[in-house]
Amino acid sequence: MSALTAVPANILAAGTNNGAFVTPSISYAAIAPILIVLAAACVGVLFEAVLPRGQRFYAQVALTLAALLAAFIDVIAIRGHSVVTASRAIAIDGTSLFLQGTILVLGALAVLLLAERGVEPGSAIVAQAAVVVGSPADRRLASSDRVQTEIFPLALFAVGGMLIFPAANNLLLMFVALEVLSLPLYLMAGLSRRRRLLSQEAAIKYFLLGAFASAFFLYGVALLYGYADSANLSDILRAQNTSTQSDTLLYLGFGLLIVGLLFKAGIAPFHSWTPDVYQGSPTPVTAFMASCTKIAAFGAILRVLYVGFSVSSWNWRPIIWTVAIASIAVGAVVGLTQTDVKRILAYSSIAHAGFILMAVLAQNAQGQMDVSGLSSSLFYLAAYGLTTIAAFGMVTLVRDGNGEATHLSQWSGLARRSPLFAVTFTFLLLAFAGIPLTSGFTGKFVVFRAAYHSAAPLVVIALIGSAIAAFFYLRIVVMMFFAEPAEDGPSVVIPSALSSIAITVGTGATLVLGVFPQPLLDLADHAAKLRG
Amino acid sequence: MHDVLLASAANVSTGEAITFWILGPVSLAGAIGMVAARNAVHSALSLVATMMSLGLFYVVEQGPFLGLVQIIVYTGAIMILFLFVLMLIGRDSSDSLVETLRGQRVAALLAGLAFALLVALTLGRAFTGRPPKNLDGPNANNGNVDSIAHKLFSDYLFAFELTSALLIIAAVGAMVLAHIERDGPKPTQKALARERIRSGRPQPLPGPGVLSSGNAIGTPALLPDGTIAPESLMGGQSTINVGQGGLGEIER
């Protein structure tokens, strides 16, 4: 490593001690949504300290929802802003505001699922995470209505990190944001009320692999810094035309950086954590991860590729080709062999990540990166996130004596017990499969259209992949409608208003964006602007 | 990669070269020892050696602040805390070395070596023929710390502020994972004493490691006839498993 420390000659030359210190200007209006969420998270931590136990749950839920709502209103209020602020570290532009708005809406829906107490006394969250699994105290607490309410401030911190992650114009800030969004998720993954050992295993797996991915990301940032003498994406872009350093640093640095980002987005071959973590985590947390984390990670990938590496796109296109194909193939083929509904949805998310990634391959006639790729992936992310929240929200409702019944065989004949549930879930699965009149179709259509001119073979592969994936979605449908119901099978629990709102909004959006997608498409087109 | 660097760089002083060739192998041996050592304490001490060498590297490379922080914070504070934890949970409770996937370890080793080779060769190539640069500019007038502060509070201000969120998350996370809230009121001393007499065992439980081969909490106490004292194990399935691991060692 001493080699590296020797390279960037003027590590500190820009801010020499001789010059007077100039306070960096920060546009507080532009970063207000971020500050609202982070401040509310700190207040939530204080709530834990001062409120009596009985009041904490609803106080935390109210605070979390209010903060997310306030931040969302603020995002709408500052629409059209386009600034690069805080010493060029944060870029608040159309794309980051669109993604921030999406993350805030989906985060609020996930918090509604987290706050659901109608299907399980307490909630899906463990009463005391520190109590040894299976001990008498654990058994006693499992049936109580106590909840580890720290999960709500943690969720807010994660949302705060997710708001910064796609807006970070500086790779170092991007790294800190990555950690701010990841650390709470590692914890939240381990806080399941039922099957706690599985949940803790998921948390430790996610933590170890996530730490590994962060190390790759950091190494990449270090090499890029050596190449460009700056961690700012726009400087890295400029350095690709002017730098006298060897291009090896650029390529190696980019490769390591993108590994860290692809891991967070759950793209094969960096997907191995996804099924285990999705299965082990409490289902509302899975919904949160599958929608919000994916959007934030893709936001960062889009910014890195479009702002930092648009001129060297010919060099990274083969990488994106390869991982997109790998992701679609792994998601579709391995998904076929799964027997657990949550794992099937996890593999489905891997395949979808591959579809979204195709969009960045879109090029215009001059061979430059085309903005249609950006806008189509924005639409896809929003549509997919809403469907995912609703799907995982519905998985929480199928229960037997041991909690959620997620094994596929337990779902046989579910349509006879609850036709409404079966029809709704079928609709969501059709959206995942990309059947017309659902948002999944619109999303796939715009992404494939954007990628078609420059990556037609990949579009063909993606179509084959979605056909294979449709098979395992339909397998669940067939299971629910045409199989004989099991003797002591699970039943569908009627949730309280909180989950109902989340599921209804997600399902409704899936329908509306399938039938009448134009407003959101226009919004995504309008928002597809990046500043470096 | 380093000798390429050193050979290509005419203006690396002799002292720097000597320091490098002494500390380079030390840090490498420490890193390998950290992974290879079976005993967790040896592993931690190897890491200390690597971190100390890295700290000295930073000092030699004109980063005195970074070097000292590396030694004081990482080696001094974090690693010692780490050793405390190791001693507390028992240095004998080693990991299971059973391979659940056959050939996984060999494959991982090969892939790791290939990756290291790739990085070393490409970086070596990238730096061949390039003169090393120095930090004379920012370090002028004892400005090392000043320059870092300058950067920290201008270019990296937001990232620096955001690390406070990380610290809060870490503190809350540690509480969530380790703190158990009390249910009822705290029992009085009188109640505790009564409880103890009623339990039929007024004397304290045997401590772990009493009359056995080690003093770690994972090692159960032995009774005079050499069998394990079950009371020396904490309740809960996981701890008992650790104790059985210790038993295997005693019998051997």
Side-chain angles (χ1 to χ4, degrees), chain B residues 182-187:
Chain B
R182 195 189 304 281
D183 262 329
K186 194 175 176 183

Side-chain angles (χ1 to χ4, degrees), chain A residues 224 236-237 240 250 254 304-305 307-313 316:
Chain A
L224 289 173
I236 291 172
L237 182 72
Q240 287 165 46
L250 176 72
F254 173 77
V304 164
L305 293 181
V307 177
F309 294 90
S310 53
V311 293
S312 56
S313 72
W316 53 254

Side-chain angles (χ1 to χ4, degrees), chain A residues 248-464:
Chain A
T248 318
L249 283 182
L250 176 72
Y251 300 146
L252 201 58
F254 173 77
L256 294 171
L257 182 77
I258 206 77
V259 166
L261 293 173
L262 292 178
F263 172 87
K264 266 293 151 211
I267 293 170
F270 312 105
H271 67 286
S272 48
W273 59 277
T274 317
D276 288 348
V277 175
Y278 279 20
Q279 186 186 15
S281 307
T283 310
V285 174
T286 312
F288 182 58
M289 281 195 290
S291 54
C292 297
T293 313
K294 190 145 276 189
I295 292 173
F298 266 103
I301 292 176
L302 290 172
R303 183 169 296 280
V304 164
L305 293 181
Y306 274 86
V307 177
F309 294 90
S310 53
V311 293
S312 56
S313 72
W314 284 106
N315 294 313
W316 53 254
R317 283 173 67 85
I319 302 178
I320 300 295
W321 263 81
T322 316
V323 294
I325 293 175
S327 206
I328 295 167
V330 167
V333 175
V334 185
L336 280 180
T337 63
Q338 301 302 316
T339 52
D340 184 283
V341 178
K342 279 169 93 175
R343 285 181 87 86
I344 290 177
L345 291 181
Y347 278 100
S348 145
S349 91
I350 296 170
H352 280 278
F355 296 140
I356 306 171
L357 200 59
M358 288 166 53
V360 301
L361 296 170
Q363 284 182 323
N364 61 16
Q366 287 82 43
Q368 291 158 336
M369 292 182 76
D370 193 53
V371 77
S372 70
L374 188 55
S375 62
S376 60
S377 41
L378 290 183
F379 178 86
Y380 199 128
L381 284 170
Y384 174 73
L386 286 160
T387 313
T388 306
I389 290 267
F392 279 109
M394 299 205 73
V395 170
T396 60
L397 304 182
V398 185
R399 311 183 73 91
D400 60 11
N402 295 320
E404 286 167 21
T406 53
H407 197 272
L408 200 51
S409 63
Q410 292 173 296
W411 282 45
S412 61
L414 214 56
R416 296 197 200 161
R417 288 180 210 271
S418 175
L420 177 65
F421 175 91
V423 168
T424 316
F425 201 73
T426 303
F427 175 70
L428 294 172
L429 290 174
L430 293 180
F432 283 136
I435 306 295
L437 294 183
T438 63
S439 65
F441 173 77
T442 325
K444 278 208 180 66
F445 179 77
V446 289
V447 165
F448 289 179
R449 188 184 58 184
Y452 181 70
H453 291 293
S454 49
L458 187 55
V459 174
V460 175
I461 294 173
L463 284 172
I464 298 170

Side-chain angles (χ1 to χ4, degrees), chain B residues 9 26 34 46 51 70 74 98 107 113 156 159 196 201 209 216 240:
Chain B
V26 172
M34 187 232 155
S46 306
M51 286 188 169
Q70 170 86 18
Y74 280 90
V98 181
L113 281 178
Y156 300 109
R196 175 165 256 187
R201 190 190 171 97
I240 289 174

Side-chain angles (χ1 to χ4, degrees), chain A residues 30-393:
Chain A
I31 59 169
I34 299 169
L35 297 183
I36 290 173
V37 171
L38 289 178
C42 295
V43 174
V45 174
L46 282 183
F47 273 15
E48 286 301 317
V50 297
L51 286 187
R53 192 185 293 150
Q55 298 172 10
R56 275 184 219 159
F57 186 85
Y58 288 107
Q60 292 284 17
V61 173
L63 172 75
T64 310
L65 288 175
L68 294 174
L69 188 69
F72 180 67
I73 292 172
D74 197 23
V75 165
I76 293 175
I78 62 171
R79 68 188 183 281
H81 255 60
S82 179
V83 290
V84 183
T85 184
S87 304
R88 301 193 298 135
I90 303 183
I92 300 294
D93 47 28
T95 305
S96 45
L97 285 174
F98 183 92
L99 291 172
Q100 288 180 344
T102 320
I103 289 168
L104 288 166
V105 170
L106 295 174
L109 295 180
V111 168
L112 288 178
L113 292 178
L114 269 180
E116 169 66 49
R117 300 182 99 167
V119 297
E120 167 118 44
S123 66
I125 310 307
V126 70
Q128 282 269 284
V131 171
V132 176
V133 179
S135 62
D138 186 39
R139 282 196 290 276
R140 193 177 66 243
L141 283 169
S143 53
S144 75
D145 64 348
R146 271 178 66 176
V147 177
Q148 190 89 48
T149 40
E150 282 92 346
I151 197 166
F152 292 104
L154 287 175
L156 272 182
F157 272 121
V159 170
M162 290 169 188
L163 297 185
I164 302 168
F165 199 43
N169 190 39
N170 182 307
L171 289 176
L172 212 60
L173 176 65
M174 196 179 266
F175 172 71
V176 179
L178 173 71
E179 292 302 306
V180 171
L181 83 87
S182 302
L183 290 187
L185 285 177
Y186 301 149
L187 281 162
M188 290 161 72
L191 296 184
S192 179
R193 183 173 279 255
R194 307 284 188 130
R195 301 190 185 88
R196 287 186 58 201
L197 282 179
L198 205 62
S199 171
Q200 292 175 350
E201 183 189 330
I204 201 97
K205 272 182 184 163
Y206 195 20
F207 171 68
L208 286 177
L209 291 173
F212 210 51
S214 295
F216 276 100
F217 185 93
L218 263 190
Y219 201 172
V221 174
L223 293 181
L224 289 173
Y225 189 92
Y227 176 78
D229 264 6
S230 166
N232 262 336
L233 285 174
S234 35
D235 293 341
I236 291 172
L237 182 72
R238 204 170 307 119
Q240 287 165 46
N241 297 321
T242 59
S243 177
T244 56
Q245 296 285 352
S246 152
D247 277 350
T248 318
L249 283 182
L250 176 72
Y251 300 146
L252 201 58
F254 173 77
L256 294 171
L257 182 77
I258 206 77
V259 166
L261 293 173
L262 292 178
F263 172 87
K264 266 293 151 211
I267 293 170
F270 312 105
H271 67 286
S272 48
W273 59 277
T274 317
D276 288 348
V277 175
Y278 279 20
Q279 186 186 15
S281 307
T283 310
V285 174
T286 312
F288 182 58
M289 281 195 290
S291 54
C292 297
T293 313
K294 190 145 276 189
I295 292 173
F298 266 103
I301 292 176
L302 290 172
R303 183 169 296 280
V304 164
L305 293 181
Y306 274 86
V307 177
F309 294 90
S310 53
V311 293
S312 56
S313 72
W314 284 106
N315 294 313
W316 53 254
R317 283 173 67 85
I319 302 178
I320 300 295
W321 263 81
T322 316
V323 294
I325 293 175
S327 206
I328 295 167
V330 167
V333 175
V334 185
L336 280 180
T337 63
Q338 301 302 316
T339 52
D340 184 283
V341 178
K342 279 169 93 175
R343 285 181 87 86
I344 290 177
L345 291 181
Y347 278 100
S348 145
S349 91
I350 296 170
H352 280 278
F355 296 140
I356 306 171
L357 200 59
M358 288 166 53
V360 301
L361 296 170
Q363 284 182 323
N364 61 16
Q366 287 82 43
Q368 291 158 336
M369 292 182 76
D370 193 53
V371 77
S372 70
L374 188 55
S375 62
S376 60
S377 41
L378 290 183
F379 178 86
Y380 199 128
L381 284 170
Y384 174 73
L386 286 160
T387 313
T388 306
I389 290 267
F392 279 109

